Amino acid sequence: MQRYFLKNNQFQEQHVTISGDDAHHIVRVMRMSEGNQVICCNEKGDSALCEIQNISGNEVRLSIVEWLSEQKELPIAVTIVNGLPKGDKLELIIQKGTELGATMFVPFIAARSIVKWDEKKGKKKIERWNKISKEAAEQSHRTVVPQVVDPVNMQQLLHLSKSYDYKIVAYEEEAKAGETTKLHATLSNMNKGESLLVVIGPEGGLTDKEVSILSENDFILCGFGPRILRAETAPLYVLAAVSYQTEMMR
Amino acid sequence: MQRYFLKNNQFQEQHVTISGDDAHHIVRVMRMSEGNQVICCNEKGDSALCEIQNISGNEVRLSIVEWLSEQKELPIAVTIVNGLPKGDKLELIIQKGTELGATMFVPFIAARSIVKWDEKKGKKKIERWNKISKEAAEQSHRTVVPQVVDPVNMQQLLHLSKSYDYKIVAYEEEAKAGETTKLHATLSNMNKGESLLVVIGPEGGLTDKEVSILSENDFILCGFGPRILRAETAPLYVLAAVSYQTEMMR
């Protein structure tokens, strides 16, 4: 069933009001009419089965049939920090990472990031990335849309990291050395509701200096298996591992 | 270090001989010369550190410095069967699936596969897909190149499945119903050296009829977590789960 992510103020006691792009989607793209049902999610991640009551102009009014108790979100909140990669790789990371349950995406201006961040063009990119995460959230039946935020530098990353319960870095040298226990040790320690920050380098990897700074700030260096994963594959690996550990092994 | 996948007959007692595309790559692309080292893998998955002794014309002769004991392959052999998808999605599955350790890829002509398979054009596609798996195997430091075989129909798939120790189907309806235990039950039962066949539908999913046929033939229907994964994301999820279960949780 089609789902829409709405603002809290679009929900009244028994009704939901949709206008703008989402209304256009319901009326013109999906060609829905009175009596059709959709799922509406509020900003807290609650979802309600709703039925279209009335369409007038560019406004759709729906009644709330029932609040659903969907369990679609990972039990722990995972933020993916990716060294700003070349081309449209971040689009793939955001689309697939959203399907796999990420809570937030943070582009990181790493020493070896080849792309230079342009504030002006950047604003459009951020908008586009957030559109991708919204569409992927709808398709994968999530109840929360992951946010893609402005790129951060190392100082901002360290500041951000202070609010997380666990912090790890995907580190190729650890993978080459056959390190395979720290990721499992970390994930199996985590409890429902806790947060995990995962840092993954750009194509050329993190520099030794970046790795030592992160390590000094209590990031755990983890191998993600014995094979060398590309910058865009590593976030998908860790999200699948989190799902397997926290959702499948219960 | 650059690695090359060679035929067994390119290995002599103490030497390796490389010609053709790989020789071109060593001499023209990598611009290597006498004394440079590369890793050469034979068809059994053994790998050797080799040093260039001599380059003449389009032939490179190397001495074997030492045989390596790399552990790069998943402890269980995973074959990914994907309903033939639209566009170049199979390219993504093969590239990322190779990084994540798959042993073989089998395109499946499913009832809802939109693409019609054209024998003539198909041959070129299979070549291209095998080239992608070879390049991804080199990049991810694997010792075996996964094979991409010709597409199969249901009858051929059932025949193929008889040689596998475990057989599972990614089944969306199970995921929607919150089924989260069968994948873990299956993977945690498996022993080193055993084989797993994973069937994933095309974009529109498998038909009810296909699911019952597979189920009657002892395939286990598994949910891959509570979110709905795209056809190209599901194989990556299961490969990461296999790695986490068999490599990280030891």
Side-chain angles (χ1 to χ4, degrees), chain A residues 16-248:
Chain A
V16 174
T17 312
I18 300 180
S19 56
D21 286 350
D22 288 334
H24 177 86
H25 192 266
I26 290 174
V27 181
R28 304 287 165 209
V29 181
M30 301 299 292
R31 296 169 178 274
M32 288 188 187
S33 53
E34 282 81 3
N36 284 151
Q37 294 186 329
V38 301
I39 291 171
C40 297
C41 303
N42 66 17
E43 293 167 74
K44 286 178 291 182
D46 306 318
S47 56
L49 179 66
C50 297
E51 187 172 304
I52 299 176
Q53 292 285 304
N54 185 270
I55 299 173
S56 71
N58 193 24
E59 192 173 277
V60 181
R61 194 175 152 86
L62 308 96
S63 63
I64 295 171
V65 178
E66 62 169 328
W67 285 95
L68 305 171
S69 57
E70 298 183 304
Q71 293 286 344
K72 301 290 188 180
E73 299 301 320
L74 283 175
I76 64 174
V78 183
T79 293
I80 298 289
V81 179
N82 254 95
L84 202 58
K86 277 190 290 185
D88 53 8
K89 280 183 191 164
L90 207 57
E91 297 190 6
L92 181 82
I93 293 167
I94 291 166
Q95 187 193 63
K96 304 279 164 255
T98 298
E99 290 173 56
L100 292 166
T103 301
M104 199 200 281
F105 297 95
V106 182
F108 167 47
I109 302 171
R112 293 205 184 111
S113 285
I114 294 162
V115 179
K116 293 293 161 239
W117 188 252
D118 175 335
E119 283 296 332
K120 234 176 176 176
K121 287 187 198 159
K123 204 172 159 240
K124 282 220 153 166
K125 267 197 185 167
I126 301 274
E127 272 173 31
R128 182 169 163 69
W129 289 336
N130 277 290
K131 194 160 171 258
I132 289 170
S133 77
K134 185 169 183 245
E135 286 171 358
E138 285 167 5
Q139 277 227 337
S140 56
H141 296 196
R142 292 192 51 180
T143 56
V144 173
V145 180
Q147 201 193 351
V148 189
V149 300
D150 286 345
V152 297
N153 58 28
M154 178 59 91
Q155 203 188 340
Q156 293 164 318
L157 173 58
L158 293 179
H159 182 75
L160 173 74
S161 75
K162 293 196 203 307
S163 62
Y164 283 79
D165 298 310
Y166 291 83
K167 303 171 278 190
I168 64 175
V169 189
Y171 189 45
E172 212 172 74
E173 297 306 317
E174 298 285 323
K176 283 183 191 160
E179 191 288 301
T180 57
T181 55
K182 286 184 201 160
L183 180 65
H184 177 240
T186 305
L187 297 185
S188 58
N189 254 340
M190 292 188 70
N191 297 310
K192 198 180 162 172
E194 288 187 321
S195 58
L196 175 70
L197 188 67
V198 183
V199 175
I200 291 147
E203 288 96 343
L206 297 167
T207 62
D208 289 347
K209 194 179 161 199
E210 285 172 329
V211 172
S212 10
I213 293 172
L214 292 170
S215 180
E216 282 159 19
N217 283 273
D218 303 326
F219 281 73
I220 302 161
L221 311 187
C222 295
F224 284 7
R227 291 161 299 283
I228 303 302
L229 303 179
R230 283 174 202 243
E232 72 272 22
T233 313
L236 313 185
Y237 182 94
V238 76
L239 286 163
V242 168
S243 164
Y244 189 76
Q245 172 75 47
T246 62
E247 296 179 325
M248 311 298 270

Side-chain angles (χ1 to χ4, degrees), chain B residues 48-227:
Chain B
L49 179 66
C50 297
E51 189 172 303
I52 299 176
Q53 292 286 306
N54 183 269
I55 298 172
S56 71
N58 194 24
E59 192 174 276
V60 180
R61 194 176 153 86
L62 307 94
S63 62
I64 296 172
V65 179
E66 61 169 329
W67 285 94
L68 305 171
S69 57
E70 298 183 304
Q71 294 286 344
K72 300 291 187 179
E73 299 301 318
L74 284 174
I76 64 176
V78 184
T79 293
I80 299 289
V81 179
N82 253 96
L84 203 57
K86 278 191 291 187
D88 54 8
K89 280 183 190 165
L90 208 56
E91 296 189 5
L92 182 82
I93 293 168
I94 291 166
Q95 188 192 64
K96 302 278 164 258
T98 297
E99 289 172 58
L100 292 166
T103 301
M104 201 200 281
F105 297 95
V106 182
F108 167 47
I109 302 170
R112 292 204 185 111
S113 284
I114 293 162
V115 178
K116 293 293 161 239
W117 187 252
D118 176 333
E119 284 295 334
K120 232 178 176 175
K121 285 187 199 159
K123 207 174 156 237
K124 281 220 153 165
K125 266 196 184 166
I126 300 276
E127 271 173 31
R128 182 168 161 70
W129 289 336
N130 277 291
K131 192 159 172 258
I132 289 170
S133 78
K134 185 170 183 241
E135 286 170 359
E138 285 167 7
Q139 277 226 337
S140 56
H141 293 198
R142 291 191 53 181
T143 56
V144 173
V145 181
Q147 199 192 353
V148 189
V149 300
D150 286 344
V152 297
N153 58 28
M154 178 59 91
Q155 204 188 338
Q156 293 164 320
L157 173 57
L158 294 179
H159 182 74
L160 173 73
S161 75
K162 291 193 204 309
S163 63
Y164 283 78
D165 297 310
Y166 291 84
K167 303 172 279 189
I168 65 175
V169 188
Y171 189 45
E172 212 172 75
E173 296 306 317
E174 299 286 324
K176 282 183 192 160
E179 191 288 300
T180 57
T181 55
K182 286 184 201 161
L183 180 65
H184 177 241
T186 305
L187 297 186
S188 58
N189 254 339
M190 292 188 71
N191 296 311
K192 196 178 163 174
E194 289 187 318
S195 57
L196 175 70
L197 188 68
V198 184
V199 175
I200 292 147
E203 288 94 345
L206 297 166
T207 63
D208 289 347
K209 195 179 160 198
E210 284 172 329
V211 172
S212 4
I213 293 172
L214 292 171
S215 182
E216 284 158 18
N217 283 273
D218 304 325
F219 280 73
I220 302 160
L221 310 186
C222 295
F224 285 6
R227 291 161 298 283

